Amino acid sequence: MAVSEKKSVAALKLYRPAKTQESVCREYGIEPDKVIKLAGNESRFGCSPKVIEALERRKNEFSFYPDFNVNGLRTTLSERFNVPGEKFIFGSGSFEILSLIGSAFIDEGDEAIYADPSFGWYINSTVLNGGKVVKVPVDKNFSVDADAMLNAITDKTKVIWLCNPNNPTGTVLSGEKLTDFISKVRSDILIVLDEAYIDFIDEEANGGPYIDTVRLIDKYDNLIILRTFSKSYGLASFRIGYGIADTSIIAGLTKVKLPINTTFAAQAAAEAALDDEAFKEDVLRKIHNERKYYYEALEEFGFKAVRTNGNFIFLHTGLDGGWLEEEFLKKGIMIRNGAEFGFPDFLRISIGTHEENVKVIDTFRTILNDKNLKEGEKVG
């Protein structure tokens, strides 16, 4: 008789990450330096030189355990946000903190509300702990439907997962709508505001600056804000993120957290990255410019991109996303098929350097020209 998984694990679907660069090289016979990875929303602009310098300077500390309490990074962020240090929790990227939230706050039979589509790990964190996921479709503009989410609340609702800006659609709830939404949620429901892409918000397109959501922590003790160093700071491989919340929430998460869950290198890298805002601002400027390039360039094919507030674009092609993904892979470009998010004729493409983005457009042109030629031959 085989050892069986517990019921909540058996109910889980395997999380499907983007293909690795190595697997693409093996499968398609492409040299590693010829592959362009635009499938995982990583930064194509590297990280601050100060990160490299900090790790080199502190390499003699690699053999020691990291600071259990992450005091250096905690102090830096506390001063930056003017928030007491005890209101922070750190994890191996947002992934781990999302898992901790499920472990600490979701019981068997609890409901967790989720915008569909959104970040898939919300589902895993809910189901693993015996919770039920309540999916609320995005609206016709691919935005999170805040009113529908409020209407989905029942007496069993325990958590609301809210990705803002949302992944994979790139849409964002305005500060006014977000504040109104939070104010209407019962105080016994945990609101998880995942702001992984907050730095990329297009304030010009959204009619003004986004709000300082950290200030909401003082008013709502059922809110946790999640942020990461993986995106604008370019530290995805270090796996470090943080949450900000009332100390009661932090205490619950700390009870289920591994005693040491972030590495020395990750802590040092994050501290150094925060010390180089000029580098981050340069990355944000490039992303802003490249989004405009994509909007204009995609008009050639009649594709419609959702106006994005992330470092990626979500676009409707009207063609089979799986087929397009495969055609791009043959040419050494990794993108994401929209079928994974329930939109089979969409693609999600991470924004790269200008040269990489030009290559994406050129590849679209080549693929579509070849397709039209073959169809013409069949017709003839």
Side-chain angles (χ1 to χ4, degrees):
M1 185 175 180
V3 177
S4 61
E5 304 168 329
K6 66 180 188 179
K7 291 180 181 179
S8 60
V9 174
L12 284 176
K13 292 182 179 179
L14 284 174
Y15 181 77
R16 184 181 181 274
K19 286 188 176 184
T20 65
Q21 189 167 326
E22 293 76 12
S23 67
V24 171
C25 293
R26 287 195 305 270
E27 187 173 348
Y28 297 93
I30 302 171
E31 294 297 319
D33 61 348
K34 301 296 183 184
V35 174
I36 301 175
K37 193 167 185 284
L38 301 175
N41 295 349
E42 299 128 317
S43 176
R44 297 295 298 180
F45 303 99
C47 65
S48 165
K50 290 190 176 184
V51 170
I52 311 301
E53 293 167 7
L55 293 175
E56 175 63 26
R57 186 174 64 252
R58 302 182 65 181
K59 61 186 178 183
N60 290 335
E61 299 176 59
F62 288 176
S63 62
F64 305 137
Y65 285 116
D67 180 354
F68 286 38
N69 294 316
V70 199
N71 286 311
L73 184 55
R74 186 185 301 274
T75 298
T76 300
L77 289 172
S78 175
E79 292 174 352
R80 172 165 297 204
F81 291 116
N82 192 26
V83 171
E86 60 267 25
K87 290 191 175 184
F88 288 87
I89 189 164
F90 299 88
S92 180
S94 297
F95 267 105
E96 185 192 14
I97 303 177
L98 294 172
S99 295
L100 295 177
I101 289 169
S103 297
F105 294 103
I106 296 178
D107 270 323
E108 186 81 28
D110 285 342
E111 292 180 353
I113 297 173
Y114 158 93
D116 187 28
S118 196
F119 187 45
W121 200 251
Y122 305 147
I123 295 175
N124 290 55
S125 183
T126 301
V127 174
L128 179 59
N129 294 284
K132 176 187 174 183
V133 176
V134 178
K135 295 184 178 181
V136 176
V138 295
D139 67 21
K140 63 181 180 179
N141 297 315
F142 299 94
S143 296
V144 170
D145 192 332
D147 289 337
M149 292 184 85
L150 288 171
N151 290 333
I153 293 174
T154 71
D155 58 358
K156 294 183 178 180
T157 304
K158 189 63 178 291
V159 170
I160 295 176
W161 305 107
L162 181 58
C163 190
N164 200 48
N166 191 35
N167 173 23
T169 62
T171 55
V172 64
L173 287 178
S174 69
E176 182 180 355
K177 286 184 178 180
L178 176 64
T179 304
D180 180 66
F181 173 81
I182 292 172
S183 71
K184 293 177 179 176
V185 174
R186 286 199 325 261
S187 61
D188 62 330
I189 297 172
L190 179 61
I191 304 167
V192 182
L193 180 57
D194 186 348
E195 295 184 328
Y197 298 94
I198 185 174
D199 291 333
F200 303 107
I201 290 178
D202 188 340
E203 294 185 345
E204 179 183 335
N206 287 290
Y210 187 58
I211 61 169
D212 180 3
T213 51
V214 174
R215 303 279 66 87
L216 296 175
I217 295 296
D218 295 330
K219 187 174 182 180
Y220 300 100
D221 60 8
N222 62 327
L223 173 68
I224 181 169
I225 295 171
L226 304 186
R227 296 194 180 171
T228 180
F229 288 92
S230 295
K231 308 302 178 184
S232 57
Y233 290 103
L235 300 182
S237 69
F238 287 91
R239 308 310 305 127
I240 186 157
Y242 59 97
I244 313 173
D246 184 78
T247 52
S248 61
I249 293 175
I250 299 299
L253 297 176
T254 303
K255 290 177 183 177
V256 298
K257 179 182 74 68
L258 288 173
I260 308 176
N261 65 330
T262 60
T263 68
F264 166 79
Q267 293 180 31
E271 287 183 60
L274 287 170
D275 193 39
D276 194 353
E277 284 298 299
F279 177 86
K280 187 184 83 168
E281 289 303 317
D282 184 57
V283 170
L284 299 182
R285 178 184 58 80
K286 289 173 180 175
I287 292 292
H288 181 78
N289 291 338
E290 293 307 308
R291 287 193 297 216
K292 288 184 175 180
Y293 166 75
Y294 263 121
Y295 295 147
E296 296 171 2
L298 289 169
E299 291 180 1
E300 173 185 343
F301 315 112
F303 297 162
K304 183 172 178 58
V306 179
R307 290 302 227 193
T308 184
N309 294 274
N311 62 341
F312 57 87
I313 58 169
F314 191 57
L315 66 148
H316 178 248
T317 67
L319 301 169
D320 180 73
W323 172 75
L324 276 172
E325 181 183 35
E326 181 73 14
E327 292 300 307
F328 268 86
L329 285 171
K330 291 175 183 176
K331 300 181 186 304
I333 302 176
M334 302 168 66
I335 59 176
R336 209 72 179 259
N337 175 9
E340 297 177 35
F341 314 114
F343 292 87
D345 54 355
F346 276 69
L347 296 173
R348 192 194 70 186
I349 305 176
S350 305
I351 296 173
T353 65
H354 183 66
E355 293 74 21
E356 291 169 343
N357 300 332
V358 168
K359 189 167 183 179
V360 168
I361 296 301
D362 289 343
T363 301
F364 265 126
R365 190 177 296 115
T366 299
I367 291 171
L368 295 176
N369 284 342
D370 288 348
K371 177 180 182 294
N372 291 335
L373 178 61
K374 289 177 182 177
E375 289 179 348
E377 289 172 347
K378 289 177 182 178
V379 172

